[in-house]
Amino acid sequence: MATRGIVKLGESILRAKSREVVDFNDKLACLIDDMFETMFKANGVGLAAPQVGLLKRVCVVCVDGVMKYELVNPVIVKSSGTQIGQEGCLSVPDRNGNVARPKKMTVEAQDRNGKKHVYQVSDFEAVAFSHEIDHLDGVLFIDKLVD
Ligand code: CO
C-alpha cells in the first residue's frame, strides 16, 4: 500500500466524468487500498478516484474509523429526506460550507471483486456517500452551497 497525491481544485480532472469499472483485477484492489490509506492519512472520511487522478467510478468512505465502504460503480437507487450540514473536501483545502444532502439513501455498489452490495445509509454516512458519488460526475460541494 502507498499513499497517493491528492488532486486540488483547479485541476480539470476534478470536473470530468468518471468511467465505469469493468476490470476487477489486482490494479483495482491496489487502488482501493491506496485510497483508504491516503484518506486516513489526510484525516478524511471519504475519497473518490478522480481525487487521486483517475477517472474511475470508485470511492471509499469511512466516517467512524470502523466501517470501511469501498464503492465501485455506485448507483443511488433511492433517497429520501434532506439534511443540511457543513462539509469540506480534501481537494478543496481551507474551505467549507453548508450543503443539502439526502437524509437517507439506498446505494448499490460493487466491491473490488465485482460482488454487488446494497447499502442503506443515513445521517453523516449519507452525506459522505452523496459527496463522494458526486465526485464521479465532476461535482464538488462548492457547487451546492446553501446559506
Ligand atoms: Co470531496
Side-chain angles (χ1 to χ4, degrees):
M1 283 207 289
T3 58
R4 302 198 184 192
I6 298 177
V7 172
K8 297 294 186 328
L9 185 66
E11 297 193 49
S12 59
I13 193 167
L14 288 179
R15 293 308 196 170
K17 193 171 164 64
S18 290
R19 290 179 292 270
E20 197 95 350
V21 172
V22 290
D23 294 320
F24 294 85
N25 53 23
D26 289 350
K27 215 174 151 184
L28 176 67
C30 179
L31 171 65
I32 291 169
D33 287 338
D34 286 357
M35 285 174 63
F36 273 118
E37 191 173 331
T38 303
M39 177 188 82
F40 286 126
K41 194 185 171 202
N43 295 312
V45 296
L47 192 69
Q51 295 182 274
V52 294
L54 290 166
L55 288 174
K56 291 175 184 284
R57 300 191 80 79
V58 177
C59 44
V60 297
V61 172
C62 181
V63 305
D64 60 3
V66 179
M67 184 62 205
K68 293 165 69 182
Y69 296 95
E70 56 187 56
L71 307 175
V72 179
N73 301 325
V75 177
I76 299 167
V77 292
K78 199 175 163 191
S79 65
S80 62
T82 305
Q83 55 179 327
I84 294 175
Q86 193 155 97
E87 292 183 24
C89 178
L90 295 175
S91 293
V92 189
D94 306 320
R95 280 186 72 180
N96 42 54
N98 287 329
V99 180
R101 300 284 184 187
K103 178 86 173 151
K104 289 184 179 180
M105 292 199 307
T106 304
V107 173
E108 287 181 4
Q110 288 165 282
D111 62 21
R112 67 184 65 200
N113 301 308
K115 187 177 188 293
K116 261 200 173 164
H117 300 263
V118 180
Y119 299 111
Q120 316 261 10
V121 289
S122 58
D123 303 307
F124 191 46
E125 265 182 356
V127 172
F129 272 52
S130 175
H131 177 121
E132 298 314 326
I133 293 168
D134 270 354
H135 272 296
L136 305 182
D137 293 313
V139 175
L140 301 175
F141 84 96
I142 50 174
D143 305 336
K144 297 186 154 184
L145 295 175
V146 295
D147 290 331

